[in-house]
Amino acid sequence: MCVEKSLVKRYYSPMEEKVDLSDLKCGYPDCCFMVANNWFRYRAGALIVEDGKLLVMKTKSSDCFYTVGGGVHMGESAESCVLREVQEETGAPYEIDHLAVICENFFTGTEEIIKGYTCHVIEFYFLMKPRGMQELNAESYGWNRDREERYWIPLEELPKIDLRPEFLRTRMPEILKGKSLIHIVNDSRKLTK
């Protein structure tokens, strides 16, 4: 549903002050928007494990590791998004095993575009079927246009690295054992304020 800006001037929330929606910025084609000091995003991520190692990404300007994945485009399913992102970022033909985690991720932005923003990201994490090899063939660039480097991190080493969201460091054994969907609410705002 599209709402004419002139028809909706203010948003009221019991938790916040008035927000002027004329400042609304959309991140088309991704399903994301910014308003006032808030950022919302719908993201799909891939959990790619080969030989007991999780594939993670990092740019020189990012302060943490993260999974392969990205913003779901308008009109795109989370499944289509994760397959597109995996192909773009790895160059490898991975297939989905199953939807493993839905994460409601709340944090304070630290990267240039969202620095200081209150961030709310809905993330669908798909466990990918292993291919039996770690060979990847793609150049990938993050949303800030920095080149993304790929790392295969042994599962037992995950708790020692700054991997976000945090549940990826501590709950991967549980995720890999089961076939049921796990719902996680990750709120690191309290750690960064």
Side-chain angles (χ1 to χ4, degrees), residues 32-73:
C32 71
F33 64 87
M34 301 168 110
V35 65
N37 204 30
N38 301 286
W39 181 63
F40 176 83
R41 186 177 194 207
Y42 172 29
R43 180 181 188 274
L47 301 175
I48 301 173
V49 178
E50 296 284 0
D51 300 319
K53 296 176 182 174
L54 178 68
L55 178 62
V56 297
M57 313 279 279
K58 189 174 187 320
T59 64
K60 286 182 181 176
S61 64
S62 65
D63 55 354
C64 65
F65 292 93
Y66 50 91
T67 63
V68 170
V72 177
H73 291 181

Side-chain angles (χ1 to χ4, degrees), residues 20-31:
D20 185 352
L21 290 184
S22 64
D23 291 335
L24 182 68
K25 296 176 187 143
C26 296
Y28 186 81
D30 287 0
C31 297

Side-chain angles (χ1 to χ4, degrees), residues 8-193:
V8 181
K9 287 290 186 195
R10 304 264 180 214
Y11 165 75
Y12 295 92
S13 168
M15 306 278 292
E16 298 179 21
E17 299 175 15
K18 296 179 195 176
V19 175
D20 185 352
L21 290 184
S22 64
D23 291 335
L24 182 68
K25 296 176 187 143
C26 296
Y28 186 81
D30 287 0
C31 297
C32 71
F33 64 87
M34 301 168 110
V35 65
N37 204 30
N38 301 286
W39 181 63
F40 176 83
R41 186 177 194 207
Y42 172 29
R43 180 181 188 274
L47 301 175
I48 301 173
V49 178
E50 296 284 0
D51 300 319
K53 296 176 182 174
L54 178 68
L55 178 62
V56 297
M57 313 279 279
K58 189 174 187 320
T59 64
K60 286 182 181 176
S61 64
S62 65
D63 55 354
C64 65
F65 292 93
Y66 50 91
T67 63
V68 170
V72 177
H73 291 181
M74 296 294 277
E76 181 180 46
S77 70
E79 291 167 335
S80 294
C81 174
V82 79
L83 291 171
R84 174 181 53 77
E85 290 286 348
V86 166
Q87 185 63 44
E88 289 173 5
E89 295 177 10
T90 70
Y94 278 95
E95 295 177 18
I96 294 171
D97 184 303
H98 69 279
L99 174 61
V101 177
I102 294 177
C103 177
E104 298 178 64
N105 194 7
F106 300 92
F107 58 95
T108 301
T110 58
E111 290 193 42
E112 183 181 321
I113 296 172
I114 57 170
K115 191 171 187 88
Y117 277 65
T118 299
C119 301
H120 180 177
V121 182
I122 303 296
E123 299 173 294
F124 285 50
Y125 284 91
F126 293 88
L127 184 63
M128 308 306 282
K129 293 179 181 175
R131 295 181 322 128
M133 65 176 80
Q134 295 177 2
E135 185 181 320
L136 304 172
N137 185 23
E139 290 274 325
S140 180
Y141 295 86
W143 65 325
N144 58 5
R145 303 198 197 300
D146 280 354
R147 183 168 183 217
E148 291 177 307
E149 299 294 332
R150 294 178 294 266
Y151 302 88
W152 290 98
I153 308 293
L155 295 173
E156 63 274 7
E157 298 291 320
L158 294 178
K160 299 175 186 172
I161 67 169
D162 189 2
L163 175 60
R164 297 187 197 161
E166 148 121 23
F167 78 86
L168 293 167
R169 296 193 316 236
T170 58
R171 296 188 67 182
M172 281 304 294
E174 175 188 356
I175 292 165
L176 293 173
K177 276 185 202 170
K179 290 281 186 186
S180 5
L181 180 63
I182 300 171
H183 173 236
I184 294 172
V185 177
N186 183 75
D187 191 342
S188 61
R189 292 175 294 187
K190 59 185 174 276
L191 302 175
T192 58
K193 284 189 175 181

